[in-house]
Amino acid sequence: MTEARKKPRNRFHVLRLVGTVAAMFVFGFALVPLYDVLCDITGLNGRSSNGFAAAESSEPRQVDTSRTITVEIVTTVNSGAPWDFEAVTERLELHPGEFVTARVTASNREQRAKTVQAVPSVLPYKAARYVHKTACFCFDQQPFEAGQTREMPVVFTVDPELPAEVDTVTMSYTLFELTDTAAKGR
């Protein structure tokens, strides 16, 4: 192949590679908003677009006393950090539409202040859009002093529209340490 024919071909490949890198860069920035939309639509990570707003509505909810739902609270600590994180209320029964409060405790076993945040998840996934939280420790970062233990509530209801075949809902919380990230944000 001659030099004259190689130059346009090389230029084409370079432009194609630069375009691919640019597309990957744009896609990387778009992942966070896309993930948020996916979570809102599917209810992944315990989030749904109608969840928080519906729970705060001023309309009185009708409690379905003909049905009982079992709610399990499961807690884990990400990557074995030196934290104690346990559900005080591990299991409760409620009627759909009834507001209840569950509690968890978290303890910072280190000798320095830490900041953490819990990431929620609801199983089965189809139940996530029916769990409405009005107050939750998972909404905000939680600063802890060295050795501090705190009890934290989650106030929620299960919508009466929850499909009839779902009689048990698991609310799972994973605790992540954000101390370095929180310090940078100040």
Side-chain angles (χ1 to χ4, degrees):
M1 188 176 282
T2 67
E3 278 302 312
R5 289 186 75 187
K6 281 185 183 178
K7 283 184 182 179
R9 216 166 170 207
N10 287 345
R11 189 175 301 137
F12 171 75
H13 287 300
V14 167
L15 288 174
R16 194 168 168 194
L17 288 171
V18 168
T20 301
V21 169
M24 289 170 55
F25 186 74
V26 169
F27 182 71
F29 274 102
L31 276 178
V32 173
L34 288 173
Y35 181 74
D36 288 341
V37 169
L38 176 70
C39 287
D40 284 345
I41 292 170
T42 64
L44 289 172
N45 274 343
R47 297 182 345 201
S48 65
S49 57
N50 65 348
F52 193 62
E56 287 185 333
S57 74
S58 59
E59 297 176 24
R61 286 204 171 265
Q62 193 71 333
V63 176
D64 181 0
T65 56
S66 69
R67 190 170 162 205
T68 301
I69 305 295
T70 301
V71 178
E72 299 171 335
I73 311 294
V74 178
T75 58
T76 56
V77 177
N78 183 47
S79 70
W83 282 84
D84 292 323
F85 185 48
E86 298 174 350
V88 174
T89 313
E90 293 180 347
R91 184 182 187 95
L92 53 91
E93 294 191 359
L94 62 94
H95 297 293
E98 174 183 16
F99 278 92
V100 295
T101 301
R103 299 186 185 287
V104 302
T105 60
S107 298
N108 176 6
R109 293 184 294 164
E110 287 204 20
Q111 297 306 310
R112 65 184 191 106
K114 298 281 187 170
T115 301
V116 295
Q117 185 159 9
V119 176
S121 181
V122 176
L123 293 172
Y125 291 122
K126 67 180 170 183
R129 67 173 19 131
Y130 301 99
V131 175
H132 306 298
K133 300 173 191 171
T134 58
C136 185
F137 60 93
C138 63
F139 292 157
D140 300 305
Q141 294 180 1
Q142 303 291 329
F144 279 79
E145 295 300 320
Q148 181 182 8
T149 298
R150 187 179 327 146
E151 188 172 282
M152 302 178 293
V154 56
V155 179
F156 67 96
T157 185
V158 175
D159 195 299
E161 298 297 317
L162 178 72
E165 68 271 9
V166 179
D167 60 358
T168 301
V169 174
T170 302
M171 295 170 49
S172 174
Y173 296 92
T174 303
L175 196 67
F176 289 87
E177 184 180 333
L178 302 173
T179 304
D180 295 336
T181 305
K184 290 178 186 173
R186 291 184 193 151

